[in-house]
Amino acid sequence: MAKDKKFVTEITSRDEDFAQWFTDVVVKAELVDYSTVQGFYIMRPYGWALWENIQKSLDSKFKATGHENVAMPMLIPESLLQKEKDHVEGFAPEVAWVTFGGKKELEERLCVRPTSETLFCDHWAHVLQTYRQLPMKYNQWCSVVRWEKTTRPFLRGREFFWQEGHTIHETAEEAIAETHQMLNIYADFVEKELMIPVIKGQKTESEKFAGAEATYTIEAMMHDGKALQSGTSHYFGDGFARAFDVTFADRNNGISYPHQTSWGMSTRIIGALIMSHGDDSGLIMPPAVAPIQIVVIPVAQHKEGVLEKANELKAQLEKLYRVKLDDSDNSPGWKFNQYEMKGVPLRLEIGPKDIENGQCVLVRRDTREKTFVKLENLEAEVERLLKDIAENLYATAKANLDARTETLSTMEEIVASSKAKDGFIKSLWCGDEACEDAMKEQAGLSSRCMPFGEQDDIDGVCPVCGKKAKHRVIWAKAY
Amino acid sequence: MAKDKKFVTEITSRDEDFAQWFTDVVVKAELVDYSTVQGFYIMRPYGWALWENIQKSLDSKFKATGHENVAMPMLIPESLLQKEKDHVEGFAPEVAWVTFGGKKELEERLCVRPTSETLFCDHWAHVLQTYRQLPMKYNQWCSVVRWEKTTRPFLRGREFFWQEGHTIHETAEEAIAETHQMLNIYADFVEKELMIPVIKGQKTESEKFAGAEATYTIEAMMHDGKALQSGTSHYFGDGFARAFDVTFADRNNGISYPHQTSWGMSTRIIGALIMSHGDDSGLIMPPAVAPIQIVVIPVAQHKEGVLEKANELKAQLEKLYRVKLDDSDNSPGWKFNQYEMKGVPLRLEIGPKDIENGQCVLVRRDTREKTFVKLENLEAEVERLLKDIAENLYATAKANLDARTETLSTMEEIVASSKAKDGFIKSLWCGDEACEDAMKEQAGLSSRCMPFGEQDDIDGVCPVCGKKAKHRVIWAKAY
């Protein structure tokens, strides 16, 4: 068992050094590998399988709400990027520029897309003619490049994978309804499938997307009390449409500009999943997206009948679940640790004595609780346990969110709290960017969002300037 | 009907100008749109849905044969690209170079991947330790960039979508078996789902992939008699492994280099599909991958009960097929033309008289044959017709392939034939690159492959130099 123990202790304790724990886990669980190019990561089979499960679920929800997938070019001419003033200011400083094609210097340099609003608008200017074509509700799955200075796997990469939805509509109302619909789809997915509680709200002016009229967000809290922006949905009004001359013949025989949205969720959500649910033994995968939901480990597998039975149970369960049988010649103990590191929600052990007794052992990854199960009850018990694991992951994350959320009203309280521990701090706010800046300077906190449903009963003052408050804001340190 | 007619006649006749017909079809059927950047195309919803169906089918075959998906970075440092001599010579002249990140010039320029052998090798050098990890059988779905001079949608783009499989194995035998397995998967897919007959064979030295020991290919013939390389599979030996220092502890306690393969199929295959099956009214989609397999067109849809019945039939069929109901206010005639252009294999018409008679009308896209079907027989009839359409598409393409394939033995015959019409010419060949060059110069033909199963009974001379022949080769003009 010494070797097994060492394997586990090779990762840093979560409470000792959360950042190092995170890096250890993503590498040891074989989600990513570092590449030769700084800030670019290799998605290994286990990491990509997780992303594929996330894609599959989101993609079906997008299609069910009438969205169609497309693919835009990966390169954007500089002149196209510059058409919308705020947008270019937001993105131009951090793009990668292609300047040569083969041996020939390009007449105009091209950036690798950091996001594709400009490309969609250019396409729509070309194909949109009449209101009969509206809405156009598009999505694409791709990677984008942003030349970040400091990088970490999943959290901030120079290249990352995401989906970007882009839609245009006849009216502002329809477009705004779309942004809310998509935010709700994100929130439901993250809460019900990734089992991470989120707070929905609107970004402040200084935190909104470059070129948007309004940005909506879902914010999650990680185990260490820091915030992670988990999905955003933007309303653009007709700003981009005017900049790109996207028009259509409207119902009144006039020419109108469509109203536009975009929305995105990226592989950052995998970072959120890791930092919400993991523990000192590694990952814990929420069952809905786990690449392996159940790992079958034969015990004393050289004994007669053990491998046969293990294979039989695997065949039975894989009609319903994603199952892996590990019959390698590693020790059972090594395997236990390995799949705990990988966060497989449920482990099934089967050995000669179990077979004799017509049972097997199920071990949950979250609580490590061991259950002996009669084989005739296996399917029902697996279903119950997976459901229970999911609920427990959510409850644990929710308890952390609640325990680390405070409502405070003075700057002294806020500064003291932010120094004592990381978490979400709710307070009123006057709406001034200067007060946001002061909050950053004095307490090290940025505004995460103005939470929905908490903006109606504003009665009090801004903790920074003492003027009448207009909004309620959640402040936090953020990834 | 004047408007309808005009709609159809807006595309060039296939036999008048095949190249223009192709361009007309891809745009009018809304597969692609041209982008602002020359040589980059926008995959519109209908085109991308087709690619998604192709992806889904291939991906499940890859997974069923033990391959795992991964994602590598999109950028490759110049020093990494240069590690394998033949490879860099083949690709460096046509890559796009990133030279700036934000405002900062990079110390080393990075190319946008033209293919990812170098990245996979770099990763393997990092993670491979022991024979127990072998084989590693990876695949990725992505786009790649090659700075082509002349470009056409699907056939030659500066960016194109594909999958690239990359595997390493303990032995040469295993690796070679892998290349054949994947070539067979490609061939089966193209023949049985895209309904395009292909010829399997090996590329000559001058036509093989840069850095490969052997390249295997499937070659298809387009309607105009030109060849289209539809999928390739490469065996690398341990050449890349040596160049990148990829090693493993082998079974004999020594250090060995793994044997490597790669294989790819791209969106060119959509070009093949279009040019194999289309006609003067537009596309004809093979049912297995058609984004819409059946379009339901209500006739006199304002009359009572028509739309209800149309919706009911749609609901019934979409349990089994991909179905679209077009209840827009365009005329039925306009709709007929529209979905013929898009190549929907089967059209279902339902009007008041049909409802009275308990029937509907099915019209096949390929032969335009009209069948009246009792509603109780609908599912069986749809199944029969879709199967028949698929078989007919294959038979038609096969007849074209056979009619345009000649076996010739003298240069005079070959030159005369290549001037008379395009097609495949089979002849013997000595194996000299000089004779391949001469074939290009004198007859305008390149070697497509040395077909499998036709290399054993070589008895004769090379038509170019008259020396003893070693191979049988298929020559053609190629896309």
Side-chain angles (χ1 to χ4, degrees):
Chain A
M1 290 295 278
K3 180 180 154 205
D4 301 339
K5 191 145 172 22
K6 182 162 175 297
F7 183 81
V8 168
T9 53
E10 271 172 36
I11 71 167
T12 307
S13 149
R14 187 170 57 149
D15 291 324
E16 190 180 297
D17 183 345
F18 194 65
Q20 188 58 48
W21 169 85
F22 179 82
T23 307
D24 287 351
V25 165
V26 296
V27 172
K28 296 280 293 180
E30 301 183 336
L31 294 176
V32 299
D33 186 27
Y34 289 80
S35 86
T36 304
V37 194
Q38 195 218 318
F40 286 73
Y41 303 99
I42 291 159
M43 294 283 274
R44 300 187 70 181
Y46 196 60
W48 193 254
L50 174 59
W51 182 237
E52 279 188 358
N53 289 338
I54 292 170
Q55 287 186 303
K56 221 176 290 172
S57 177
L58 286 174
D59 197 68
S60 72
K61 295 178 212 313
F62 299 159
K63 283 178 176 155
T65 45
H67 299 88
E68 299 177 294
N69 285 338
V70 299
M72 291 286 155
M74 70 153 74
L75 300 180
I76 307 174
E78 185 163 20
S79 56
L80 202 64
L81 190 69
Q82 287 173 336
K83 279 197 175 184
E84 211 284 338
K85 201 182 114 294
D86 293 334
H87 189 70
V88 67
E89 279 176 14
F91 284 104
E94 58 171 32
V95 296
W97 291 105
V98 171
T99 57
F100 276 80
K103 292 193 173 159
K104 215 178 141 219
E105 186 160 9
L106 303 180
E107 283 173 25
E108 180 182 15
R109 58 185 190 161
L110 308 165
C111 76
V112 183
R113 65 181 159 223
T115 180
S116 305
E117 278 75 9
T118 55
L119 294 164
F120 278 87
C121 285
D122 195 46
H123 172 58
W124 284 325
H126 193 209
V127 299
L128 179 64
Q129 295 174 329
T130 155
Y131 72 91
R132 286 191 184 83
Q133 294 170 276
L134 293 175
M136 286 187 176
K137 305 205 292 181
Y138 292 165
N139 175 61
Q140 77 175 358
W141 293 96
C142 63
S143 71
V144 292
V145 168
R146 298 178 187 175
W147 219 255
E148 305 278 359
K149 286 200 180 65
T150 54
T151 55
R152 296 180 64 192
F154 296 119
L155 302 176
R156 203 168 287 280
R158 286 187 171 171
E159 179 182 16
F160 62 87
F161 294 87
W162 76 348
Q163 59 69 218
E164 44 178 326
H166 296 268
T167 70
I168 42 175
H169 306 261
E170 265 190 274
T171 65
E173 293 67 38
E174 265 186 50
I176 291 168
E178 166 85 8
T179 61
H180 288 288
Q181 178 188 46
M182 301 324 290
L183 195 75
N184 287 332
I185 284 176
Y186 287 152
D188 280 359
F189 169 71
V190 174
E191 295 213 314
K192 293 175 185 166
E193 298 181 43
L194 306 190
M195 310 319 289
I196 304 171
V198 295
I199 291 166
K200 292 188 255 189
Q202 182 168 356
K203 287 283 183 189
T204 62
E205 280 299 298
S206 68
E207 294 279 335
K208 74 180 190 187
F209 183 83
E213 280 198 11
T215 289
Y216 306 106
T217 180
I218 51 172
E219 300 283 327
M221 183 192 284
M222 303 299 96
H223 174 75
D224 64 351
K226 289 196 189 135
L228 193 144
Q229 174 183 305
S230 303
T232 50
S233 178
H234 315 292
Y235 172 61
F236 290 108
D238 59 8
F240 271 82
R242 286 176 188 272
F244 284 81
D245 203 26
V246 182
T247 61
F248 64 95
D250 63 30
R251 284 172 200 272
N252 309 312
N253 298 315
I255 296 295
S256 288
Y257 295 103
H259 291 74
Q260 188 177 342
T261 84
S262 78
W263 28 277
M265 182 171 276
S266 77
T267 41
R268 289 199 99 201
I269 200 70
I270 295 180
L273 182 160
I274 297 165
M275 294 196 292
S276 294
H277 301 318
D279 66 15
D280 282 352
S281 303
L283 292 176
I284 303 184
M285 291 276 185
V289 295
I292 306 167
Q293 295 171 306
I294 307 160
V295 62
V296 177
I297 313 269
V299 178
Q301 64 186 36
H302 57 282
K303 296 235 169 118
E304 204 191 318
V306 173
L307 274 182
E308 286 86 332
K309 195 69 190 174
N311 270 301
E312 191 186 297
L313 295 178
K314 183 201 173 208
Q316 178 188 353
L317 289 173
E318 77 183 353
K319 285 176 196 151
L320 302 162
Y321 302 102
R322 295 182 287 274
V323 186
K324 183 186 165 88
L325 165 65
D326 187 345
D327 57 3
S328 68
D329 54 11
N330 293 308
S331 74
W334 189 92
K335 291 178 192 174
F336 294 170
N337 290 329
Q338 166 81 347
Y339 296 101
E340 283 186 1
M341 175 68 74
K342 292 195 163 213
V344 175
L346 211 52
R347 177 171 84 222
L348 188 159
E349 304 169 15
I350 180 94
K353 270 187 203 156
D354 300 314
I355 295 172
E356 238 170 70
N357 297 326
Q359 68 182 26
C360 67
V361 182
L362 292 176
V363 186
R364 312 166 49 139
R365 171 65 182 84
D366 57 341
T367 62
R368 290 200 168 69
E369 192 192 344
K370 218 166 167 160
T371 321
F372 291 84
V373 185
K374 286 281 162 204
L375 291 183
E376 60 265 32
N377 301 333
L378 181 60
E379 285 177 22
E381 193 60 13
V382 164
E383 188 185 347
R384 188 186 71 78
L385 282 170
L386 287 176
K387 187 160 170 285
D388 210 61
I389 291 167
E391 283 167 5
N392 181 46
L393 290 179
Y394 186 87
T396 306
K398 184 70 166 59
N400 186 51
L401 172 63
D402 291 344
R404 287 176 176 266
T405 300
E406 285 184 294
T407 300
L408 301 174
S409 50
T410 72
M411 206 54 194
E412 291 69 37
E413 291 171 339
I414 294 174
V415 170
S417 169
S418 72
K419 280 186 183 160
K421 67 171 194 299
D422 288 334
F424 286 4
I425 294 173
K426 263 189 214 181
S427 85
L428 300 181
W429 173 54
C430 63
D432 252 348
E433 203 173 317
C435 292
E436 264 182 292
D437 292 345
M439 191 65 84
K440 185 137 229 167
E441 218 161 282
Q442 294 172 37
L445 305 175
S446 65
S447 75
R448 303 319 307 154
C449 70
M450 300 177 284
F452 291 161
E454 302 185 39
Q455 305 299 324
D456 291 337
D457 58 343
I458 309 293
D459 183 17
V461 299
C462 173
V464 184
C465 67
K467 287 188 195 144
K468 190 170 161 40
K470 290 183 193 155
H471 308 282
R472 185 167 279 117
V473 168
I474 289 176
W475 312 92
K477 287 178 194 146
Y479 281 98
Chain B
M1 288 299 277
K3 181 181 153 205
D4 301 336
K5 191 150 171 23
K6 182 164 174 300
F7 182 82
V8 169
T9 53
E10 271 171 35
I11 70 168
T12 307
S13 150
R14 188 169 57 147
D15 290 323
E16 191 179 294
D17 182 344
F18 195 65
Q20 188 59 47
W21 169 85
F22 179 81
T23 308
D24 287 352
V25 164
V26 297
V27 171
K28 296 282 292 181
E30 300 183 337
L31 294 177
V32 299
D33 187 27
Y34 289 80
S35 87
T36 304
V37 194
Q38 194 217 316
F40 286 72
Y41 303 99
I42 292 159
M43 294 282 274
R44 300 187 71 182
Y46 196 59
W48 193 254
L50 174 59
W51 182 236
E52 279 189 357
N53 289 338
I54 292 170
Q55 286 186 302
K56 221 175 291 172
S57 177
L58 286 175
D59 197 67
S60 72
K61 294 179 212 314
F62 298 159
K63 284 178 176 154
T65 44
H67 300 87
E68 300 178 293
N69 285 338
V70 298
M72 291 285 156
M74 70 153 76
L75 300 181
I76 306 174
E78 187 164 18
S79 56
L80 202 64
L81 191 69
Q82 286 173 337
K83 280 198 175 183
E84 212 285 339
K85 202 182 114 293
D86 292 335
H87 190 69
V88 66
E89 278 176 16
F91 284 104
E94 58 171 32
V95 297
W97 291 105
V98 172
T99 57
F100 276 80
K103 291 191 174 162
K104 213 178 141 218
E105 188 161 7
L106 303 180
E107 283 173 25
E108 179 181 15
R109 58 185 191 163
L110 308 165
C111 78
V112 182
R113 63 179 161 223
T115 180
S116 305
E117 277 76 7
T118 55
L119 294 164
F120 278 87
C121 285
D122 195 44
H123 173 56
W124 284 325
H126 193 209
V127 299
L128 179 63
Q129 296 173 329
T130 154
Y131 73 91
R132 287 193 185 83
Q133 292 169 280
L134 294 175
M136 286 188 177
K137 305 204 292 180
Y138 291 165
N139 175 61
Q140 77 175 356
W141 292 95
C142 63
S143 71
V144 292
V145 168
R146 298 178 186 176
W147 219 256
E148 306 277 1
K149 289 202 179 64
T150 55
T151 56
R152 297 179 66 192
F154 297 118
L155 302 177
R156 204 169 287 278
R158 287 187 170 172
E159 179 182 15
F160 62 86
F161 294 87
W162 77 348
Q163 57 71 217
E164 44 178 324
H166 296 268
T167 69
I168 42 175
H169 305 260
E170 266 191 274
T171 65
E173 293 66 38
E174 266 186 49
I176 291 168
E178 166 85 8
T179 60
H180 287 288
Q181 179 188 46
M182 300 324 290
L183 195 78
N184 285 333
I185 285 177
Y186 288 152
D188 279 359
F189 170 71
V190 174
E191 295 212 316
K192 292 176 185 166
E193 297 180 45
L194 306 189
M195 312 317 291
I196 304 170
V198 295
I199 290 167
K200 292 187 257 189
Q202 180 167 357
K203 287 283 185 190
T204 62
E205 280 298 299
S206 68
E207 294 279 335
K208 74 179 190 188
F209 183 81
E213 281 198 13
T215 289
Y216 306 106
T217 180
I218 52 172
E219 301 282 328
M221 182 192 283
M222 303 299 97
H223 175 75
D224 64 350
K226 289 195 188 135
L228 193 143
Q229 176 183 304
S230 302
T232 49
S233 180
H234 315 292
Y235 171 61
F236 291 107
D238 58 9
F240 271 81
R242 286 175 186 272
F244 285 80
D245 202 24
V246 182
T247 61
F248 64 95
D250 63 30
R251 285 173 200 270
N252 309 315
N253 297 316
I255 296 295
S256 289
Y257 295 103
H259 291 75
Q260 186 177 344
T261 83
S262 79
W263 28 276
M265 182 171 277
S266 77
T267 41
R268 289 199 100 202
I269 200 68
I270 295 180
L273 182 159
I274 298 166
M275 294 196 293
S276 293
H277 302 317
D279 66 16
D280 282 352
S281 303
L283 292 176
I284 303 183
M285 291 277 184
V289 295
I292 307 167
Q293 294 171 305
I294 306 159
V295 62
V296 177
I297 313 270
V299 178
Q301 64 185 39
H302 56 283
K303 294 238 170 115
E304 205 191 316
V306 173
L307 273 183
E308 286 87 334
K309 195 69 193 174
N311 270 301
E312 192 186 296
L313 296 178
K314 183 200 172 210
Q316 178 188 352
L317 290 174
E318 76 185 352
K319 284 175 197 152
L320 302 163
Y321 302 102
R322 295 181 288 273
V323 186
K324 183 187 164 88
L325 164 65
D326 186 346
D327 57 2
S328 68
D329 54 10
N330 293 308
S331 74
W334 189 92
K335 292 177 192 174
F336 295 170
N337 290 329
Q338 167 80 348
Y339 296 101
E340 283 185 3
M341 176 68 75
K342 291 196 164 210
V344 176
L346 211 51
R347 177 170 85 223
L348 187 159
E349 304 170 16
I350 180 93
K353 268 187 204 157
D354 300 314
I355 296 171
E356 240 172 68
N357 297 328
Q359 68 181 28
C360 69
V361 182
L362 291 176
V363 185
R364 330 172 25 149
R365 171 63 182 85
D366 58 340
T367 60
R368 289 199 170 67
E369 191 194 344
K370 218 167 167 159
T371 320
F372 291 85
V373 185
K374 286 283 163 200
L375 292 183
E376 60 265 31
N377 302 331
L378 181 58
E379 286 176 21
E381 193 60 14
V382 164
E383 188 186 346
R384 188 187 70 79
L385 282 170
L386 286 176
K387 187 161 170 285
D388 210 60
I389 291 166
E391 283 167 4
N392 182 45
L393 289 179
Y394 186 87
T396 306
K398 184 70 166 63
N400 187 51
L401 172 63
D402 291 344
R404 286 176 177 266
T405 300
E406 285 184 295
T407 300
L408 302 174
S409 50
T410 72
M411 207 53 196
E412 291 69 36
E413 290 170 339
I414 294 173
V415 170
S417 170
S418 71
K419 281 186 182 159
K421 67 169 193 302
D422 288 333
F424 286 3
I425 294 173
K426 262 189 216 181
S427 84
L428 299 181
W429 173 54
C430 62
D432 251 345
E433 203 173 319
C435 291
E436 264 183 292
D437 293 345
M439 191 64 86
K440 185 136 230 167
E441 217 162 282
Q442 294 172 37
L445 305 175
S446 64
S447 77
R448 305 318 308 152
C449 69
M450 300 177 284
F452 291 160
E454 301 186 38
Q455 305 300 323
D456 291 337
D457 58 344
I458 309 292
D459 183 19
V461 297
C462 174
V464 184
C465 66
K467 289 190 193 139
K468 189 168 162 41
K470 289 183 193 155
H471 307 282
R472 183 166 281 116
V473 168
I474 290 177
W475 312 91
K477 287 179 193 146
Y479 281 98

